[in-house]
Amino acid sequence: MRLLALDSSGDLRSVALDDDGVILVERAEAGARGHAERLIALVDAARAEGGWTWSTIDRLVVAVGPGSFTGVRVAVAAARALALALDRPVHAVTTLDALVAAASDAEPPVVPVIDARRGGLYVARPDAGEGGSTPVATTPAAATDGLPARFTAVGSGAPALIAAAGRGEARERAVTASGALAAARTAIAAGTGPMAGPAVRPLYVRAADAVPRAA
Amino acid sequence: MAEGPNTPGGPDQTAIMLGLETSCDETAAAVVRRDRTVLAARVASQLAAHAPFGGVVPEIAARAHVEALDHAVQAVMAEAGLGFADLAGVAATTGPGLIGGLMVGAVTGKALAAAHARPFVAVNHLEGHVLTPRLTADVAFPYLVLLVSGGHTQLVLAEGVGRYRRLGTTIDDAAGEAFDKVAKLLGLGWPGGPALERFAEGGDPARFALPRPLTGQPGCHFSFSGLKTAVLHALRREADADEATRRDLAAGFQAAAAEALAARTRRAVALARDRAPGLERLAVVGGVAANRAVRAELEAVAAAAGLGFHAPPLALCGDNAVMIAWAALERGGAGDPLDAPVRARWPLDPAAEPAVGAGVKA
């Protein structure tokens, strides 16, 4: 199965091609301001580099957030448009899962954490009873609740979390398309199927900054 | 039939373009053929999402566009009975407008174009409005356009595809913005343009002496902020204004705005004739062109100047994707790079001097 993954949730935009579990091509560029300009050109270049035609792609993978509102929207718009154009389904993964999946080199337990700006962090809050988790926006102090004695914080928010906790190891790194691919592979192995393009939605976590006016 | 640019035999009348428009609060897609046939068009309004905030909230608009645009594309392609491979290209508005929405449209257009090896055409929203009279009435160059909407108020001399001279623009509010703000002052809700027009019916436009901003001043720029403030002051003087009073104010404002638009347009006709002696037509486009008082004033300007008058049908006056597909077809199928920029500000006439205070409306 051939997967094309993309991410532009942070300062980096990246694309990766996966052929039956082997990453053929990975391309990345820095500069959050250029996502809407460059992402599709980057996808096209990676596709060509891998020697794929568009119809080679069996499924798409996209990191849906949390991250920059604009960045996750660009990636989701790209994935939904490609899904429509190619008639292919999509695996939507969270940026936090993509960070964990890409951190096989880190000493476990791995704690994914993304800088949410305005002094906040995006972290994965464990779901009650289940093994899963839900991304939330919180303060660094609140994010230290329940952290183990030793852990490796991975992501753009790692330094802030380590500073607030007063312990742990920080791996400050960006979300990548290859991380999203690895998270999708984990999901597929666990029996999670892909979804239709229009079902893929940005995971903003935070509401839009707007206050309803009194009538 | 006007000839297309760089095509000696005339444009290919069978060329079909998909257009996308997401620059403000309408998510729109359309499929248009070069022979002026609109094969399918959809506009998904976000009015309900923004109404609680009393205006368009950029982040809410961007969030709505990404959820709606692929549905709109799918719907128009199905209605036209076409596959993406049948398209001559995919066009999207890449400016000017709200940047978050523009990004969604640009990325979607680029993805659809790239995946089917079709040209991607980056279209200026203002150019879409300005070229609409050529779609709806085959208007020949040169012609004068008053573009009057919630986001823009401009007088443009269209000399050819890609050749536009901006003769005037607003130095503060757009005309439609002034209608919305005055409607809000009068308790008519948002968006207020159509509500204000209905409310003004039967009102006495002469009861309140309101200014006709910039009338008689040199140049063709517009200003509506002072007029709006005059309405506010008049309303304050009339403590507990009854409905009849408020209707008179609405009628007075509408008349003043329409007359101000007409006065500046009259000046622009003279300027346009200096540059283009063969000028034969005045067109009015944009959402405010739906206002009957405004339309009547402009028809009178055209008649007095010996010009033909054209206003596109309502659906093509407001923001829509038909005009984006059409503008791309007019450009003769030349595509833009896949990394074409997205621009919140994008003047139609780069040579025009910025108008003080005009902001993105320039």
Side-chain angles (χ1 to χ4, degrees), chain B residues 193-290:
Chain B
L196 188 141
E197 183 175 6
R198 282 191 301 274
F199 192 67
E201 275 170 36
D204 174 10
R207 176 170 163 196
F208 291 95
L210 295 170
R212 270 62 172 161
L214 297 183
T215 298
Q217 299 293 308
C220 306
H221 286 334
F222 299 94
S223 166
F224 292 99
S225 174
L227 174 56
K228 171 198 67 193
T229 306
V231 172
L232 176 64
H233 288 318
L235 199 58
R236 282 192 180 147
R237 278 194 304 274
E238 304 281 330
D240 305 319
D242 60 11
E243 183 175 316
T245 300
R246 290 187 296 124
R247 284 185 189 273
D248 291 345
L249 253 179
F253 163 78
Q254 182 172 262
E259 282 177 31
L261 287 167
R264 307 311 279 171
T265 304
R266 215 171 285 128
R267 256 178 197 286
V269 170
L271 274 181
R273 279 201 162 128
D274 285 346
R275 282 190 59 86
L279 187 75
E280 287 181 359
R281 215 73 99 107
L282 168 67
V284 55
V285 300
V288 180

Side-chain angles (χ1 to χ4, degrees), chain A residues 37 73 80 85 201 206 213, chain B residues 52 59 63 70 116 339:
Chain A
E37 284 78 7
R73 192 154 47 232
R80 287 175 64 147
R201 309 183 66 194
R206 279 177 170 160
R213 66 173 59 224
Chain B
E59 176 63 19
R63 290 185 176 197
D70 55 352
H116 288 278
D339 55 3

Side-chain angles (χ1 to χ4, degrees), chain B residues 19-349:
Chain B
L20 311 176
E21 157 62 37
T22 56
S23 68
C24 191
D25 61 341
E26 317 272 14
T27 309
V31 182
V32 180
R33 199 163 57 204
R34 186 65 179 84
D35 67 0
R36 298 189 161 76
T37 308
V38 176
L39 299 173
R42 284 275 198 288
V43 179
S45 172
Q46 306 174 2
L47 278 185
H50 298 285
F53 304 97
V56 176
V57 181
E59 176 63 19
I60 288 175
R63 290 185 176 197
H65 285 306
V66 74
E67 305 271 357
L69 186 56
D70 55 352
H71 291 286
V73 170
Q74 198 163 24
V76 294
M77 292 299 287
E79 189 182 329
L82 297 173
F84 293 107
D86 300 320
L87 299 172
V90 181
T93 304
T94 55
L98 300 174
I99 193 75
L102 291 171
M103 287 182 178
V104 170
V107 167
T108 300
K110 289 173 179 183
L112 295 172
H116 288 278
R118 291 292 178 272
F120 169 73
V121 189
V123 174
N124 182 310
H125 177 85
L126 304 172
E127 184 175 31
H129 278 302
V130 167
L131 291 177
T132 297
R134 291 173 53 76
L135 168 70
T136 52
D138 200 2
V139 171
F141 295 116
Y143 57 96
L144 179 65
V145 183
L146 171 65
L147 161 56
V148 58
S149 69
H152 307 278
T153 306
Q154 300 200 1
L155 281 157
V156 176
L157 173 61
E159 298 179 305
V161 175
R163 290 194 293 129
Y164 313 105
R165 177 152 298 250
R166 195 206 70 198
L167 302 175
T169 188
T170 179
I171 59 170
D172 41 57
D173 289 351
E177 198 176 356
F179 270 85
D180 282 347
K181 287 176 177 174
V182 168
K184 201 179 285 181
L185 289 176
L186 295 171
L188 302 175
W190 178 89
L196 188 141
E197 183 175 6
R198 282 191 301 274
F199 192 67
E201 275 170 36
D204 174 10
R207 176 170 163 196
F208 291 95
L210 295 170
R212 270 62 172 161
L214 297 183
T215 298
Q217 299 293 308
C220 306
H221 286 334
F222 299 94
S223 166
F224 292 99
S225 174
L227 174 56
K228 171 198 67 193
T229 306
V231 172
L232 176 64
H233 288 318
L235 199 58
R236 282 192 180 147
R237 278 194 304 274
E238 304 281 330
D240 305 319
D242 60 11
E243 183 175 316
T245 300
R246 290 187 296 124
R247 284 185 189 273
D248 291 345
L249 253 179
F253 163 78
Q254 182 172 262
E259 282 177 31
L261 287 167
R264 307 311 279 171
T265 304
R266 215 171 285 128
R267 256 178 197 286
V269 170
L271 274 181
R273 279 201 162 128
D274 285 346
R275 282 190 59 86
L279 187 75
E280 287 181 359
R281 215 73 99 107
L282 168 67
V284 55
V285 300
V288 180
N291 183 286
R292 280 166 297 163
V294 168
R295 206 180 271 231
E297 285 285 344
L298 292 164
E299 280 182 270
V301 170
L307 294 176
F309 178 81
H310 176 66
L314 222 51
L316 297 179
C317 273
D319 287 353
N320 68 87
V322 171
M323 67 180 191
I324 302 306
W326 175 252
L329 286 165
E330 285 260 46
R331 277 173 38 186
D336 291 295
L338 270 187
D339 55 3
V342 178
R343 306 167 68 179
R345 300 184 67 140
W346 184 2
L348 197 52
D349 175 4

Side-chain angles (χ1 to χ4, degrees), chain A residues 4 28 35 88 103 146 150 183 195 205:
Chain A
L4 183 143
H35 290 339
R88 297 290 194 273
R150 296 164 54 107
M195 57 181 86
V205 175

